[in-house]
Amino acid sequence: MFCAKSWSLFAYRFNSDIEGLRLLVSRIIEMSSLTSTVNALLAKSDRPAVRAFFLSMAALTVALILALYSGAAAQLGNLFLASATALTALVVAGWVAVTLVPTLAKRTPLRWIGYRMEYRITRDGWIYILGIVLVALAAINTGNNLLFLILASLIASILMSGILSSITLAGVELKLHLPEHIFAGQSVRASVELRNEKLTLPSFSLRVEAAKTKKQPAAAMLETPVYFPYLPRQQSVKQNVPLLFLQRGVYRQEAFKIVTRFPFGFLQKSRRMDLATEALVYPAVAASSEFLEVLPGLQGAMESNAKGRGQDLYALRGYLPNDSARHVHWKASARFGSLMVREFAREDDCRVLLVFDPQSPAASATPQSNERESFERAVTFCAALAWNFHERDALLEFRSAEASTPPAPASENIFAILRHLALVQPIAPNSRPELLNQLAADPNSFKIIVTSQPRGSIPSELWNTSYIVFASDLSA
């Protein structure tokens, strides 16, 4: 009996010790997790701002104690001590206001309240204000306290609408992500990102749209507003928006606006974001097949410079034992007195020098519309032709009056070519064109020249080694 009681007492104590040990371990784990959380918050915190905050609190506490002591000394009749402590408290408070408060103001999110915002009263807001005026007239005429209470509530709603809309716009940052390569006439998807930097409050019902400026009266991009219904605190939200650029060139947008009518729709507040955005739009290349169908002679003009499998004759050589009898050229064999076989040009090998001649009558002071359209057709065709060589993985070289690329696979220099064609402008025609004269001095390379000049302006030396495309031959 005694042994059973001792064993039960031992087991109870053992279980109690085990339970206490578990509680101790769980508390240690909780303390370690709390310590890690505190360390993470300290790592993320702005230490100079935290240091300035605690220093300012300590200094203001000292100033408060000195001010209270000054009041007590004045009641006791010690005017000198009261004046000295009051002056010391004032100096300490002034030091905090001059040195520490500006530092904290620069580092606190409350600086977002000072953003410049534009606002206008909506149609619903004017109707609401008209109702306020009617209630105010009724309250003044009747002197009814209930009407005055209703009037105060209506005015408070207007004030709260302004405050809440300002808080919604405060602390919101904007980013616009555009695709790396944009082609004219092809719809692309851009990404509009809003980030809420506020520590505690979300934002509601935000709309991003392009802001009009004096230099830019109409929006160059983002013509359709982008709506964000909810933006959580310390988080970012993205919206995809389709963009379409009809012409080549550079599109710039100097500023955007973030607009909200939250919460009641009485006021529309907007915050201007000076976010300069630039998009380079390449010429359209989707019409490559259409252009090549219009110019069937271009395909036959591009001959290969290496032998291989193909249909076109590359050269004749002597017969070898492993040659096929189908490749024997019997007429040449009879002429030379020995068997001769044909070698063919490789079809997939394409080495070409693409030239764009920017000289055009469209460079005159008052160009005609057909001249400008002809120049743009030439640019579009040259871009489509370069893209066609890129798809065929050709060895491509490009030259123009102000740009050139060395011979390289088209996949390496295609975007440099398109970038130049996106920005090229017509040059006034010259009686002695330097670019065409330089090309005429190189008779060994096959050239494709795209020009918007008339036919008589091309040097005769180029006709034997070049395929010349005139913009007037391209359909509109």
Side-chain angles (χ1 to χ4, degrees), residues 77-363:
N78 193 343
L79 298 179
F80 177 76
L81 184 60
S83 301
T85 52
L87 183 60
T88 305
L90 184 61
V91 169
V92 172
W95 175 75
V96 171
V98 172
T99 59
L100 298 179
V101 171
T103 302
L104 293 174
K106 292 179 180 179
R107 297 175 179 270
T108 180
L110 293 178
R111 68 183 183 274
W112 292 323
I113 303 298
Y115 285 152
R116 181 181 178 183
M117 299 182 185
E118 302 174 356
Y119 71 93
R120 69 175 182 88
I121 302 175
T122 62
R123 184 180 62 180
D124 299 336
W126 284 114
I127 296 175
Y128 188 82
I129 291 174
L130 180 60
I132 291 177
V133 172
L134 295 177
V135 173
L137 293 176
I140 293 173
N141 290 332
T142 60
N144 192 332
N145 292 332
L146 180 59
L147 291 178
F148 280 108
L149 181 61
I150 295 174
L151 177 63
S153 301
L154 295 176
I155 296 175
S157 299
I158 285 285
L159 296 177
M160 287 302 299
S161 177
I163 294 173
L164 291 177
S165 59
S166 298
I167 294 175
T168 297
L169 290 175
V172 177
E173 300 297 331
L174 171 66
K175 290 182 179 180
L176 179 63
H177 304 279
L178 295 173
E180 184 178 2
H181 304 297
I182 304 175
F183 294 90
Q186 296 184 6
S187 179
V188 296
R189 286 194 171 272
S191 175
V192 181
E193 179 182 0
L194 285 184
R195 179 170 180 82
N196 186 5
E197 298 288 350
K198 294 191 289 292
L199 297 177
T200 56
L201 297 176
S203 296
F204 301 91
S205 186
L206 299 175
R207 189 174 74 249
V208 179
E209 59 186 31
K212 297 180 181 180
T213 59
K214 295 181 179 179
K215 297 181 180 180
Q216 183 180 329
M221 61 181 67
L222 202 64
E223 296 181 355
T224 303
V226 185
Y227 182 68
F228 293 82
Y230 177 67
L231 189 60
R233 61 182 181 89
Q234 291 288 300
Q235 294 186 24
S236 59
V237 177
K238 288 184 179 180
Q239 292 275 16
N240 292 328
V241 55
L243 297 179
L244 179 62
F245 302 94
L246 299 178
Q247 297 179 351
R248 67 179 180 92
V250 178
Y251 289 75
R252 292 184 178 88
Q253 184 67 50
E254 300 295 336
F256 296 86
K257 289 195 303 183
I258 304 177
V259 185
T260 183
R261 298 178 65 176
F262 179 80
F264 306 124
F266 301 146
L267 298 175
Q268 177 175 297
K269 282 196 174 183
S270 61
R271 177 183 156 203
R272 181 187 176 90
M273 304 285 292
D274 293 329
L275 182 65
T277 306
E278 184 175 289
L280 179 63
V281 180
Y282 302 140
V285 297
S288 174
S289 60
E290 298 178 4
F291 280 130
L292 295 180
E293 289 177 1
V294 175
L295 299 173
L298 180 59
Q299 297 292 341
M302 293 185 295
E303 297 181 355
S304 175
N305 292 330
K307 61 182 179 179
R309 292 186 178 182
Q311 301 295 329
D312 297 331
L313 180 64
Y314 177 76
L316 295 174
R317 62 171 176 82
Y319 177 80
L320 297 177
N322 57 349
D323 287 336
S324 175
R326 294 180 303 172
H327 296 163
V328 175
H329 196 288
W330 298 106
K331 292 183 178 180
S333 300
R335 186 170 57 252
F336 287 101
S338 61
L339 289 178
M340 303 294 293
V341 296
R342 291 172 293 181
E343 288 184 333
F344 299 95
R346 195 169 66 208
E347 290 182 345
D348 58 351
D349 182 63
C350 181
R351 299 169 60 92
V352 64
L353 170 59
L354 181 61
V355 181
F356 179 76
D357 180 20
Q359 295 187 9
S360 171

Side-chain angles (χ1 to χ4, degrees), residues 391-404:
E391 292 177 343
R392 297 173 57 180
D393 197 20
L395 188 64
L396 181 62
E397 181 182 0
F398 178 78
R399 289 187 190 178
S400 185
E402 299 178 354
S404 63

Side-chain angles (χ1 to χ4, degrees), residues 298-299 301-305 348-355 382 385-390 392-399 405-410 413 417 439 442 444-450 465-469:
L298 180 59
Q299 297 292 341
M302 293 185 295
E303 297 181 355
S304 175
N305 292 330
D348 58 351
D349 182 63
C350 181
R351 299 169 60 92
V352 64
L353 170 59
L354 181 61
V355 181
C382 188
L385 196 59
W387 189 260
N388 181 269
F389 290 133
H390 164 64
R392 297 173 57 180
D393 197 20
L395 188 64
L396 181 62
E397 181 182 0
F398 178 78
R399 289 187 190 178
T405 61
N413 55 14
I417 297 172
L439 295 174
D442 184 14
N444 297 323
S445 61
F446 174 70
K447 314 170 192 63
I448 300 178
I449 302 175
V450 182
T465 60
S466 306
Y467 189 92
I468 302 174
V469 180

